[in-house]
Amino acid sequence: FEVDQRGDGLAIAAAGGQQADGSGIDAAIAAEHQQTVDTAAGEGAITVGKWLETQGFEVKYLTDAKGTKDVRVSDVFDAIEEFVNRGTLEQLVVYFSGHGFLKNSAEHWMLSRAPVNPNEAASLTESVEFAKDSGIPNVVFISDACRSTPASLQAERVRPSIIFPNS
């Protein structure tokens, strides 16, 4: 991938559990990262988030579209951690659309500041492993991202983070 091509989207959705009145608890986070003319990735995250709302999910949106603030690994981690800490969820959906790459047989998602900030990427492979211990019985990851190999030293130096808490 080219290190100057950025434009990613991320949606995180959770469902399940019950509130005190017996009604279901459904939740979602939709995040996008798009800093290019091509807005398909960001629009994809918003579209998925809106669809999840129609399915009864609570949706939180994280976006850097249209000049808003960057989507940072800490934003994504905090949003997921909030859902994990509820302890009542039956399902969590994590949807990512945008730039990614494959390194050492592991998929990495590039967030707003990557690859310039080598810490602003998410490790799908490691996050899947951490999700297994999150206490949420059904965690679904959907990755609509390129999986090309790093094409530059800058991209090779990216060190992705884990977006699930260490439960």
Side-chain angles (χ1 to χ4, degrees):
F1 70 95
E2 298 291 326
V3 296
D4 62 349
Q5 290 181 346
R6 296 164 27 181
D8 307 320
L10 179 68
I12 305 162
Q18 290 191 336
Q19 298 181 35
D21 65 1
S23 62
I25 299 172
D26 298 325
I29 299 166
E32 67 180 6
H33 163 50
Q34 53 163 311
Q35 293 184 347
T36 64
V37 175
D38 178 14
T39 62
E43 289 176 1
I46 297 300
T47 300
V48 168
K50 296 286 186 193
W51 176 78
L52 289 166
E53 287 178 328
T54 70
Q55 302 303 304
F57 287 82
E58 169 191 341
V59 178
K60 294 182 184 184
Y61 292 93
L62 304 174
T63 179
D64 69 0
K66 301 177 184 166
T68 59
K69 75 175 200 141
D70 291 340
V71 175
R72 309 292 300 262
V73 169
S74 60
D75 298 330
V76 178
F77 179 90
D78 290 347
I80 290 174
E81 182 181 40
E82 179 186 334
F83 288 134
V84 169
N85 287 344
R86 288 183 185 181
T88 58
L89 299 176
E90 292 295 324
Q91 182 174 9
L92 180 68
V93 177
V94 180
Y95 168 89
F96 178 79
S97 175
H99 294 293
F101 67 94
L102 189 64
K103 180 174 148 185
N104 300 325
S105 299
E107 184 176 344
H108 306 310
W109 296 339
M110 307 290 277
L111 299 179
S112 300
R113 308 267 324 269
V116 173
N117 181 335
N119 305 300
E120 288 297 328
S123 170
L124 173 60
T125 306
E126 290 178 293
S127 295
V128 166
E129 290 305 311
F130 276 59
K132 292 175 184 177
D133 296 325
S134 69
I136 300 172
N138 303 293
V139 179
V140 178
F141 289 87
I142 302 169
S143 181
D144 181 10
C146 49
R147 290 165 184 85
S148 56
T149 56
S152 69
L153 183 58
Q154 184 184 39
E156 181 67 33
R157 290 178 171 167
V158 169
R159 300 291 183 258
S161 299
I162 299 166
I163 56 175
F164 269 76
N166 191 10
S167 301

